[in-house]
Amino acid sequence: MHREVVVAGNYSHDTLVGDEERSELGGSAAYVSAVLRAAQVDFAVVANVGADFRYAGKVPPARVVPGARTTSFLDDYRTDERIAILRSAAPPLRPEDLRETCTVGMAVAVAAEIPAATLIRMRELSRVLLADAQGFVRAFDPDGRVLHCAPAPDLLAALERVDYLKAGRAEAEALDLSRLRRSCTILLTDGPRGCTILTATGEQHVAAFPAHEVDPTGAGDCFLAGFAVGLLRSWPIERAALLGNWCGARAVESPGLPVFSALPADVSD
């Protein structure tokens, strides 16, 4: 079966600590799904969870792995910089878990659940492949605290084969962007400052949309999903990035997983 989009990445249970503490559905795949559903895109999610997964009715189905626990994070927002701690991790996705071809593939790992071989499998099945750098530069100290490290050589070689690689400023510091931009387009996101498109021959800034930030969780995921929708609409890269910025802006304006009634048919800055 051919899909418009196949999303690969595990769901998670997120405990968010700020002015108050609350539990939410998390994982990039969940936020991406919210945007794709609003855009009425034909898509599927490839994800692993444990039998403890609490949100099965809110997202596309995931594979329940016997004996496993769902990926779980504690995200502490009480300082200027988020502190993320991994509490548990569902099993990684295997190459054989990816079976459907797609127009756009989206590799959106959160806890290193997409190894190099699985990313190569996505490359084989996708006409256009998007990846979020966060799942490929994350490492974890003995207490589960998230660190950013340069990808292993096999993973870096696989990342060079994607078409578009999204990276926030923190993830970008762990990447050799000068090397990667020779083979793929980098989407460098910077929150309220918008994003910058880096190619082998130049760069272009795309302005952000105004937003009243309530919860920044998932903004980058929604950006990448909006960008994917723009590509499906055959829009130029800059216009697709503008739609991504719009989705990211709307995502931060409510707590938890955002609800999009629809995506705009056109965008302007």
Side-chain angles (χ1 to χ4, degrees):
M1 183 175 181
H2 183 84
R3 299 274 191 177
E4 287 186 291
V5 180
V6 170
V7 181
N10 291 344
Y11 300 126
S12 71
H13 294 158
D14 286 356
T15 299
L16 307 179
V17 180
D19 294 334
E20 58 183 19
E21 180 175 319
R22 67 181 194 276
S23 297
E24 299 281 359
L25 167 63
S28 296
Y31 284 86
V32 166
S33 295
V35 174
L36 298 180
R37 187 181 294 113
Q40 299 183 342
V41 167
D42 172 39
F43 75 101
V45 172
V46 180
N48 286 331
V49 296
D52 61 336
F53 185 53
R54 300 193 295 264
Y55 302 100
K58 293 187 175 182
V59 286
R63 174 173 173 257
V64 179
V65 180
R69 295 178 62 196
T70 298
T71 298
S72 174
F73 281 94
L74 172 68
D75 292 325
D76 190 338
Y77 288 99
R78 288 176 294 182
T79 62
D80 291 338
E81 184 176 351
R82 178 180 69 171
I83 299 173
I85 298 173
L86 180 69
R87 289 172 157 176
S88 61
L93 302 176
R94 304 164 300 178
E96 57 267 31
D97 294 332
L98 281 296
R99 300 184 179 91
E100 297 178 314
T101 61
C102 58
T103 303
V104 176
M106 300 185 68
V108 291
V110 291
E113 67 265 26
I114 301 180
T118 302
L119 188 58
I120 294 297
R121 176 62 173 164
M122 294 189 71
R123 171 72 284 170
E124 295 168 351
L125 295 174
S126 309
R127 293 181 190 170
V128 178
L129 181 57
L130 282 58
D132 190 335
Q134 74 169 351
F136 301 101
V137 301
R138 279 184 171 180
F140 307 93
D141 71 13
D143 296 322
R145 184 164 175 161
V146 175
L147 310 172
H148 291 141
C149 299
D154 64 334
L155 191 52
L156 179 59
L159 286 172
E160 289 182 298
R161 298 183 59 184
V162 310
D163 296 294
Y164 299 95
L165 179 65
K166 183 193 81 70
R169 291 288 178 182
E171 292 99 29
E173 293 178 1
L175 294 168
D176 185 350
L177 294 186
S178 62
R179 172 179 172 177
L180 286 165
R181 67 189 290 185
R182 293 199 294 264
S183 58
C184 65
T185 297
I186 308 295
L187 305 170
L188 188 61
T189 57
D190 198 12
R193 287 165 288 281
C195 70
T196 302
I197 302 168
L198 306 177
T199 67
T201 57
E203 59 184 69
Q204 180 175 355
H205 181 258
V206 180
F209 286 84
H212 174 65
E213 183 176 302
V214 174
D215 182 356
T217 309
D221 307 320
C222 292
F223 163 86
L224 193 60
F227 181 80
V229 172
L231 294 183
L232 288 173
R233 294 175 177 177
S234 299
W235 288 1
I237 295 173
E238 297 81 2
R239 190 176 170 196
L242 198 60
L243 180 58
N245 284 348
W246 184 90
C247 291
R250 301 290 76 77
V252 305
E253 293 182 324
S254 60
L257 198 69
V259 177
F260 295 88
S261 57
L263 300 193
D266 196 3
V267 284
S268 58
D269 54 7

